[in-house]
């Protein structure tokens, strides 16, 4: 295979992205450096710069991959079901969000920094993936929610996507955070990603009936 072939370039990019994903399981965004990523791959740090100029570009590519996987799941949902009740659709869409904890984590913790510190061409490629996710959810609404008007479907998207951007800190908390909530006498009820998302979707769908 030629050294500069698109297939080889894509494979190398994927290796770097996967290494970053692996590190993010045990390290914070701030702790992860290009040097740390290079140790987890077969590349030297200077070699990584041939594919990504910043750490943020790698994370943005990782988030893009998460969006693409979500689109695949949503399209499969449509291909396997001709129709669904509002209850069943809320459940299925919430489950698809629950399957993407990494996506939710990046969106909640680092999204602005990733876009701010990435080259425009990287950001455009990412936005294409983001746009495809919006379209995939819209296609599901078209299939499973025929009672909703175009305006209501657009309203659903404008409410649902900002919601998922902030859900991670509510569903994933450390023991230190729990202890702080107890001492502050907040009385917060902890719910899962599925529980929070399904409740939100049901309310949004109810507005369209």
């Amino acid at each position: 295979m030629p050294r500069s072939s698109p297939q080889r370039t894509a494979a190398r990019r994927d290796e770097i992205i996967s290494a970053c994903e692996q590190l993010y399981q045990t390290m914070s965004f701030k702790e992860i450096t290009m040097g740390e990523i290079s140790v987890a791959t077969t590349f030297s740090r200077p070699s990584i710069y041939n594919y990504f100029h910043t750490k943020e570009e790698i994370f943005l590519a990782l988030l893009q991959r998460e969006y693409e996987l979500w689109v695949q799941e949503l399209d499969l949902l449509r291909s396997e079901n001709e129709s669904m009740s509002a209850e069943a659709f809320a459940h299925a869409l919430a489950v698809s969000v629950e399957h993407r904890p990494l996506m939710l984590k990046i969106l909640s913790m680092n999204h602005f920094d990733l876009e701010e510190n990435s080259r425009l061409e990287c950001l455009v490629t990412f936005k294409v993936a983001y746009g495809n996710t919006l379209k995939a959810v819209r296609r599901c609404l078209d299939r499973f929610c025929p009672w909703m008007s175009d305006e209501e479907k657009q309203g659903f998207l404008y409410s649902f996507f900002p919601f998922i951007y902030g859900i991670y800190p509510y569903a994933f908390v450390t023991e230190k955070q729990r202890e702080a909530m107890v001492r502050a006498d907040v009385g917060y009820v902890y719910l899962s990603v599925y529980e929070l998302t399904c409740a939100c979707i049901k309310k949004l769908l109810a507005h369209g009936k």
Side-chain angles (χ1 to χ4, degrees):
M1 181 181 295
R3 182 172 182 175
S4 60
S5 71
Q7 294 90 344
R8 184 159 189 159
T9 297
R12 290 183 168 184
R13 284 175 54 88
D14 284 343
E15 181 181 345
I16 295 167
I17 295 167
S18 295
C20 183
E21 177 181 3
Q22 188 68 29
L23 291 171
Y24 201 39
Q25 293 178 12
T26 58
M27 300 173 66
S28 70
F29 175 80
K30 189 176 294 187
E31 291 172 329
I32 297 173
T33 64
M34 295 293 259
E36 294 283 355
I37 294 171
S38 71
V39 170
T41 67
T42 59
F43 309 116
S44 65
R45 188 169 72 172
S47 296
I48 291 179
Y49 287 105
N50 291 325
Y51 305 95
F52 300 98
H53 286 196
T54 64
K55 173 181 71 175
E56 286 81 4
E57 288 185 359
I58 302 175
F59 270 90
L60 194 68
L62 176 56
L63 181 56
Q64 177 182 330
R65 186 162 74 181
E66 284 293 301
Y67 272 141
E68 290 167 349
L69 290 170
W70 191 21
V71 168
Q72 291 177 22
E73 185 169 357
L74 293 172
D75 286 346
L76 182 62
L77 178 66
R78 286 179 58 254
S79 69
E80 292 181 342
N81 297 274
E82 285 298 321
S83 64
M84 302 178 79
S85 66
E87 182 85 16
F89 175 59
H91 164 75
L93 185 55
V95 167
S96 75
V97 174
E98 185 180 42
H99 288 166
R100 308 255 68 85
L102 178 59
M103 179 187 78
L104 298 178
K105 182 179 180 181
I106 298 174
L107 285 174
S108 295
M109 304 299 184
N110 313 113
H111 188 205
F112 179 82
D113 288 337
L114 304 191
E115 295 197 354
E116 184 67 16
N117 295 300
S118 294
R119 287 167 294 165
L120 179 60
E121 56 264 38
C122 298
L123 187 55
V124 170
T125 301
F126 166 75
K127 291 298 186 182
V128 169
Y130 168 70
N132 288 339
T133 309
L134 286 168
K135 293 173 185 176
V137 175
R138 175 59 190 260
R139 288 193 295 268
C140 286
L141 292 173
D142 290 340
R143 169 71 61 85
F144 303 125
C145 306
W147 65 86
M148 296 180 75
S149 67
D150 286 343
E151 184 178 354
E152 288 165 343
K153 292 172 185 175
Q154 193 68 24
F156 180 101
L157 295 176
Y158 284 163
S159 297
F160 179 62
F161 275 82
F163 166 80
I164 64 173
Y165 275 39
I167 192 174
Y168 187 88
Y170 286 90
F172 297 93
V173 296
T174 65
E175 286 305 314
K176 182 179 180 180
Q177 290 171 322
R178 287 182 184 272
E179 179 64 23
M181 293 288 267
V182 170
R183 295 190 185 189
D185 195 25
V186 175
Y188 183 77
V189 177
Y190 294 97
L191 300 173
S192 67
V193 168
Y194 170 80
E195 290 169 324
L196 290 166
T197 306
C198 194
C200 174
I201 295 169
K202 287 179 180 179
K203 289 180 180 178
L204 292 176
L205 293 179
H207 288 314
K209 285 190 172 182

